[in-house]
Amino acid sequence: MYKFKNGYYADVRIEDRFAANAQYQNGQLREAKETVEKKAFIRVFDGKMWYYTSTSDVNNVQKALDDLYGYATFNPEINENPIVAKYQVNKDEIIRFAQTSVKNIPLKDKLKLILDASDRMNSDLCSFKSARYIDRYSVYEFYSSKGAQIKYDFQTCGVAYGMAFNYNGENLSEQLSKCETEFGKLIYSDNELSEFVTRCESYIQNAKPITAGSYPIILAPIATGVFAHESFGHKSESDFMLGDENMAKEWTIGKKVGSDILTIRETGVFDGSGYVPYDDEGTRATDTYLIKNGILAGRLHSATTAAALGEELTGNARAINCDYEPIVRMTNTFIENGSSSLEELLGGIKHGYYIYSIKHGSGMSTFTIAPNIAYEIVDGKIGNPAKIALLTGNVFETLGLIDGVGNDRELLSFVTGGCGKMEQYPLNVGMGGPHIRVAKMNVQ
């Protein structure tokens, strides 16, 4: 399609994106819009420097490409460059979502979906309600001077219902959300909505402060996923290791880094927000074991990091859109299933805490998780609601303290957020896992 010059490496990435965004607040429509955008990101490499440009004038990509060649230096040995040698030459077309594309669903149907659900969520303790709908359908194309020709589509759609509760001066904000690849799967039943409201009412009326200390902890799948993503997934992004000898030593493949029952995987082939059959350098998605049975087994790569560290590509060079160059990013990161039921995990705890939902999490060598709804565990049973401000700890120490892994893995997607790294936010990712039990965590 494009005329690539010999003596240079070059690639062209194009995204044709449709998106819709709608929001109600207390029953009043605050936002309802659809956007269509088509952009290209073009880059040229001469073995020493990269030259980039981004354009919405996709009919003149060839001219933009030729202009970049004017800045670069001819290199007859460019194909022997270690980075260029890593690039795959894939030719493929994967169109999965065209027949069910969200761009074909009228905006009024999307508005009706969230307003109807919000109207069914009622509580005397509620001081504020919001209902949000977000979707996106993209068609990607990728072409390279090595001969790659790839086309695939991506779709995500989701709803998020937020409620703020107030009781005797106590406040609680909680969200019920769902993210799917098909619009028809976004409906909540009356029972699901009622259970959400009842749980929030019970929590705000009955939650008691805890005594800070070190306790056994069970993380629900949402908390497991955030822990895997924030506390370990980012450490697996290998661009953090370039030029950092201490981190490279800490991150030696084959090193014992966790409990024998712990396995963490990362893959773009699963459905959801992290579905990426090819990354933004044309690399086919892989199923990468980051930790396997407690042993450090892999890390995430772009062609640049794979060449620098002498390892294989993993399909993790990603950009949030065609305004940015690809960098090493996660896709779907999750803790793999174990063999225990939730009842079995609970049965091993005399006194601890169950983290049902969270506000946020962060961390690299150390981590912080801020629970939203949590419960006391007493004699192997979930007890009264508990007010917990923070969970903190050392990542590697905590990985080694995981002494129970559930058999109920969930892979979760978040349509209202995403992963942030440097200036690129939000990137669509998935995360999750089963319930896990940690022998002890610092609780505040």
Side-chain angles (χ1 to χ4, degrees):
M1 173 176 282
Y2 300 107
K3 295 179 180 179
F4 294 104
K5 291 185 177 181
N6 292 328
Y8 310 85
Y9 171 80
D11 59 40
V12 175
R13 170 167 47 98
I14 300 171
E15 182 189 3
D16 190 351
R17 178 184 294 200
F18 166 89
N21 199 321
Q23 185 172 21
Y24 285 95
Q25 292 181 355
N26 290 331
Q28 299 297 311
L29 183 62
R30 297 298 185 186
E31 182 179 24
K33 66 179 181 181
E34 296 177 330
T35 58
V36 177
E37 185 178 50
K38 191 171 185 179
K39 279 190 172 183
F41 187 87
I42 306 125
R43 60 182 191 168
V44 170
F45 182 51
D46 60 11
K48 294 183 179 180
M49 291 188 63
W50 284 98
Y51 303 86
Y52 308 103
T53 190
S54 176
T55 181
S56 57
D57 185 4
V58 294
N59 293 321
N60 287 303
V61 167
Q62 185 66 57
K63 181 181 182 305
L65 178 61
D66 292 339
D67 288 345
L68 288 181
Y69 282 132
Y71 294 102
T73 301
F74 176 77
N75 181 353
E77 298 179 350
I78 189 64
N79 290 329
E80 282 70 56
N81 179 276
I83 296 173
V84 176
K86 284 286 185 183
Y87 289 122
Q88 297 177 358
V89 184
N90 292 301
K91 296 185 178 182
D92 199 5
E93 181 170 320
I94 307 174
I95 302 299
R96 297 181 51 199
F97 307 107
Q99 297 300 315
T100 58
S101 174
V102 289
K103 70 179 182 180
N104 298 326
I105 298 171
L107 182 59
K108 63 180 180 62
D109 292 350
K110 301 169 184 178
L111 293 171
K112 184 177 185 301
L113 171 72
I114 58 173
L115 184 59
D116 285 353
S118 183
D119 285 344
R120 288 183 283 142
M121 302 172 70
N122 296 296
S123 169
D124 292 338
L125 305 181
C126 179
S127 58
F128 179 81
K129 284 198 301 184
S130 67
R132 190 169 182 185
Y133 175 88
I134 299 175
D135 69 27
R136 180 178 140 207
Y137 176 72
S138 293
V139 177
Y140 290 93
E141 297 176 65
F142 180 86
Y143 306 92
S144 81
S145 57
K146 291 184 70 172
Q149 296 182 29
I150 300 166
K151 185 176 183 179
Y152 72 93
D153 63 351
F154 166 87
Q155 179 158 292
T156 185
C157 56
V159 293
Y161 304 105
M163 297 184 73
F165 298 83
N166 181 273
Y167 177 76
N168 286 348
E170 297 290 335
N171 296 292
L172 171 70
S173 294
E174 182 69 312
Q175 180 173 276
L176 180 66
S177 65
K178 183 181 291 190
C179 182
E180 300 285 351
T181 56
E182 295 180 25
F183 180 79
K185 295 181 178 180
L186 296 177
I187 298 172
Y188 276 106
S189 69
D190 287 343
N191 284 341
E192 289 174 313
L193 297 177
S194 176
E195 287 174 3
F196 169 78
V197 172
T198 299
R199 181 182 294 276
C200 292
E201 289 177 331
S202 175
Y203 182 82
I204 194 172
Q205 292 179 91
N206 299 298
K208 298 294 189 293
I210 61 115
T211 300
S214 180
Y215 298 92
I217 296 293
I218 290 181
L219 302 179
I222 175 64
T224 296
V226 171
F227 175 74
H229 175 96
E230 294 290 353
S231 300
F232 189 80
H234 279 299
K235 287 178 71 69
S236 301
E237 293 169 339
S238 54
D239 50 351
F240 287 123
M241 301 170 204
L242 300 186
D244 189 336
E245 293 183 3
N246 290 331
M247 190 169 185
K249 289 178 181 177
E250 179 186 39
W251 214 237
T252 303
I253 299 296
K255 178 181 178 180
K256 178 75 170 176
V257 294
S259 166
D260 291 344
I261 59 174
L262 176 66
T263 294
I264 301 181
R265 290 166 60 190
E266 215 287 340
T267 179
V269 302
F270 288 179
D271 279 351
S273 290
Y275 170 70
V276 185
Y278 291 93
D279 73 6
D280 290 331
E281 293 182 332
T283 302
R284 188 184 299 272
T286 63
D287 190 351
T288 304
Y289 282 86
L290 304 179
I291 295 178
K292 191 168 185 178
N293 300 326
I295 303 299
L296 192 63
R299 46 183 151 241
L300 309 180
H301 283 297
S302 65
T304 298
T305 62
L309 297 177
E311 298 176 4
E312 297 303 313
L313 296 173
T314 60
N316 289 93
R318 306 184 62 198
I320 57 170
N321 55 42
C322 284
D323 289 327
Y324 296 94
E325 72 275 17
I327 56 178
V328 183
R329 307 296 297 271
M330 284 174 273
T331 54
N332 293 300
T333 310
F334 57 94
I335 292 180
E336 187 55 281
N337 262 342
S339 59
S340 301
S341 66
L342 176 57
E343 290 72 23
E344 289 170 331
L345 296 177
L346 289 165
I349 297 177
K350 184 172 181 61
H351 183 219
Y353 293 97
Y354 173 51
I355 310 304
Y356 177 80
S357 68
I358 67 170
K359 299 173 185 175
H360 57 79
S362 63
M364 286 283 280
S365 295
T366 59
F367 69 88
T368 298
I369 295 176
N372 204 31
I373 291 181
Y375 298 90
E376 190 177 25
I377 301 172
V378 180
D379 295 330
K381 303 291 183 182
I382 296 177
N384 295 322
K387 296 179 183 178
I388 297 177
L390 289 175
L391 303 175
T392 63
N394 175 274
V395 171
F396 283 131
E397 180 181 340
T398 303
L399 293 175
L401 290 171
I402 294 174
D403 63 358
V405 179
N407 58 11
D408 52 358
R409 187 190 78 195
E410 296 181 31
L411 188 59
L412 305 164
S413 300
F414 304 96
V415 73
T416 56
C419 178
K421 183 175 179 180
M422 294 187 283
E423 73 275 17
Q424 295 199 43
Y425 173 86
L427 182 73
N428 51 287
V429 296
M431 62 189 75
H435 284 87
I436 63 170
R437 185 178 65 205
V438 184
K440 61 179 180 178
M441 296 178 77
N442 296 321
V443 180
Q444 300 177 26

